[in-house]
Amino acid sequence: MMGAEDLGEKLLGEVEEESLDKLLQTLRYLDDPQPESRLGIPVLDNLLNILQYPRQQRQQQPWTSPQRGGGTQAPPAPLRPQNKPPVIELTSTSPCSGATQLLYYITAVSILPAALDGVALHGKEGAVVILDNLGTFDVQRLYQITLHYIQSRMRTTAEAETPLSSEKLDDADIDALIASSLQHVHVFRPQSSASFLATLQSLPSYLLSSLTAHFSGTRALQAILIDGISAFVWQDRAEANLKSDAREAQLDESVDPDPNLDSNRPHPNSRINNNNNNINPLINHYTTLTTTLRSLQTLFSCPIVATTWGLLPVPASTAHITTTLPPTTPTRTTTFRPNLPAPWTNFCTLRLTVSQAAVPKFRESLSVRGAGREARARQEVLERGERVAVVNLDRFGSREGRGEGGEGEVGQAVRFWVRQEGVDVDGEVVRWRSG
């Protein structure tokens, strides 16, 4: 018979220790195991749901207590959160592709309230941290996009003819709302890769030090947005090469020349046989970077959206995308190999290639008068500012990421429009087929 001391020791050994943030994360997961709104933008949230929650998921059998007289049955395994906040990469195919404008739009939705005076804004009413690695963050443009978003929601509410739509926001109310919301946008401008990493590591102390240290003390961190995560990649590569050269020089000096060694054969410590030396510092740096970002996600449970440049294009394929042009018009889409090391690429949940909607070239047999007419039509298309963000199929080869269909590869895409007055995002995920 087990004594009281042995029983207490046995029960104590079964107790699991957890940190408070892990406990809160588990409670959040129990409350909403499959959050359907991460960014507050329906089309992006739907795209994330397609990738994160496949249609055929394993059905866990509920645990039941052992029947009287039956055999033993193991208790259920401890519940662990599996659905982590997403990490989205927006790869620009060219300047002015619209990736940064999409960051502004995400910022506006993140900081605005859910509703105001009967107008449904569908905002997340949170705080946003922006890492402006490119040094091009434009507050005036953010204000303009936020104003356009509010006006669009007002028009939608008025068209719905709801009982509350009779109340309209005047210009003073809108300006006051935008001004108070912009106080929850925290912009940092790192000047180097080391400064970028140090800024990320200091975010917990900055955001959580005091409720009165900044205006967002009572708000949740809705998103971490990085404009130009590849801004310092060439600087990082140069520093990695310098470290590798210095290490190889030390190795060469530490080894005495061997008279019996064939001079035509490379030395075992030469650069040729140590090609990995110049990449290890770079990989180590981005491993530290992704580890820091992952810890921030664990702490704040927020999405990360980063823009990058597309410098290494994969051979382009012709794809048919539903645009303002005729649906049969072939649109050239290009995917890009990651120009950042593998730790970042493996960290991403979703990679989107952002580009302007292509305009077909003039036909060879077109007359001058016909060319003039089509030129005006093409100019109208360009003024609409249509952009498309296509899922990078090199990263997601699953059926969910590619979609369904017959011949050709079918994928998912998001349409949005960048104009002088603001940004508009399509409400549905469109399908594209390579041909």
Side-chain angles (χ1 to χ4, degrees):
M1 183 176 181
M2 182 179 296
E5 183 176 353
D6 296 335
L7 179 60
E9 184 177 356
K10 179 177 180 298
L11 294 176
L12 184 61
E14 296 176 355
V15 175
E16 294 186 7
E17 294 185 1
E18 285 280 10
S19 60
L20 180 59
D21 60 333
K22 290 289 186 182
L23 176 61
L24 295 177
Q25 184 182 7
T26 303
L27 292 176
R28 187 184 299 113
Y29 174 77
L30 289 172
D31 180 64
D32 190 7
Q34 290 188 357
E36 297 183 355
S37 178
R38 291 288 195 179
L39 296 171
I41 303 174
V43 64
L44 290 178
D45 289 332
N46 292 339
L47 192 56
L48 289 170
N49 292 337
I50 292 173
L51 296 173
Q52 290 188 301
Y53 310 136
R55 286 176 232 165
Q56 294 182 356
Q57 295 182 344
R58 292 183 58 187
Q59 300 294 331
Q60 296 183 354
Q61 298 296 331
W63 177 77
T64 56
S65 60
Q67 299 294 330
R68 183 174 301 177
T72 59
Q73 184 175 355
L79 182 60
R80 301 291 183 188
Q82 299 296 329
N83 300 321
K84 298 179 181 179
V87 179
I88 303 175
E89 180 190 81
L90 304 175
T91 301
S92 298
T93 60
S94 62
C96 302
S97 64
T100 300
Q101 301 297 313
L102 197 55
L103 285 188
Y104 290 152
Y105 187 88
I106 295 173
T107 302
V109 176
S110 300
I111 60 178
L112 288 173
L116 182 67
D117 293 341
V119 178
L121 300 177
H122 301 294
K124 304 296 287 186
E125 201 166 359
V128 172
V129 167
I130 297 179
L131 283 304
D132 183 23
N133 293 350
L134 300 176
T136 58
F137 180 80
D138 189 349
V139 178
Q140 290 292 337
R141 182 57 177 168
L142 176 59
Y143 175 90
Q144 196 172 30
I145 290 176
T146 306
L147 174 62
H148 178 72
Y149 177 83
I150 295 174
Q151 292 172 343
S152 300
R153 298 308 309 170
M154 291 174 60
R155 288 193 295 269
T156 302
T157 302
E159 293 171 359
E161 296 181 353
T162 59
L164 297 178
S165 62
S166 58
E167 301 182 15
K168 296 183 178 179
L169 298 175
D170 55 26
D171 293 341
D173 293 335
I174 295 176
D175 288 338
L177 172 62
I178 297 177
S180 62
S181 298
L182 289 180
Q183 292 178 341
H184 302 285
V185 179
H186 306 267
V187 182
F188 300 88
R189 284 185 170 174
Q191 301 300 312
S192 64
S193 187
S195 174
F196 176 44
L197 180 59
T199 302
L200 291 175
Q201 293 172 340
S202 65
L203 284 181
S205 59
Y206 167 75
L207 294 173
L208 303 176
S209 59
S210 173
L211 293 178
T212 59
H214 48 77
F215 291 101
S216 305
T218 58
R219 285 196 176 195
L221 182 60
Q222 173 59 28
I224 298 176
L225 308 180
I226 306 172
D227 193 14
I229 194 170
S230 58
F232 309 118
V233 65
W234 301 112
Q235 175 185 347
D236 296 336
R237 290 182 185 275
E239 293 178 355
N241 288 334
L242 290 176
K243 292 179 181 179
S244 176
D245 291 342
R247 182 167 57 251
E248 289 174 356
Q250 292 177 354
L251 289 174
D252 292 340
E253 292 176 358
S254 63
V255 178
D256 294 332
D258 187 354
N260 297 324
L261 187 65
D262 187 357
S263 59
N264 295 324
R265 294 176 57 190
H267 195 278
N269 292 328
S270 66
R271 180 191 299 271
I272 298 177
N273 290 325
N274 288 276
N275 289 331
N276 292 331
N277 287 342
N278 65 341
I279 200 65
N280 283 339
L282 190 66
I283 292 180
N284 291 338
H285 170 75
Y286 278 89
T287 299
T288 304
L289 176 63
T290 55
T291 300
T292 303
L293 290 172
R294 186 177 290 108
S295 65
L296 290 173
Q297 278 198 313
T298 302
L299 181 61
F300 295 105
S301 187
C302 64
I304 295 174
V305 185
T307 65
T308 184
W309 300 323
L311 301 178
L312 302 172
V314 177
S317 61
T318 301
H320 299 282
I321 303 178
T322 304
T323 65
T324 54
L325 299 173
T328 57
T329 300
T331 301
R332 181 69 62 178
T333 59
T334 305
T335 58
F336 289 83
R337 296 186 181 93
N339 59 354
L340 296 178
W344 166 257
T345 306
N346 296 332
F347 182 54
C348 292
T349 307
L350 172 65
R351 295 179 63 221
L352 296 172
T353 301
V354 185
S355 61
Q356 299 186 32
V359 179
K361 297 180 179 180
F362 290 105
R363 291 171 293 171
E364 295 182 359
S365 59
L366 193 64
S367 65
V368 175
R369 182 175 298 179
R373 289 194 299 268
E374 291 196 9
R376 289 190 293 271
R378 283 162 171 75
Q379 183 62 31
E380 292 178 359
V381 172
L382 293 176
E383 290 176 355
R384 295 187 189 122
E386 185 172 0
R387 306 293 195 273
V388 61
V390 182
V391 176
N392 193 331
L393 295 182
D394 289 344
R395 174 68 175 86
F396 299 98
S398 63
R399 189 177 185 85
E400 289 74 20
R402 293 179 181 269
E404 299 178 358
E407 56 188 15
E409 290 185 344
V410 177
Q412 311 289 345
V414 175
R415 291 191 304 166
F416 64 102
W417 293 263
V418 179
R419 306 183 184 92
Q420 183 176 0
E421 62 270 18
V423 175
D424 294 293
V425 179
D426 195 1
E428 296 182 358
V429 177
V430 297
R431 298 171 58 181
W432 68 278
R433 183 189 306 279
S434 63

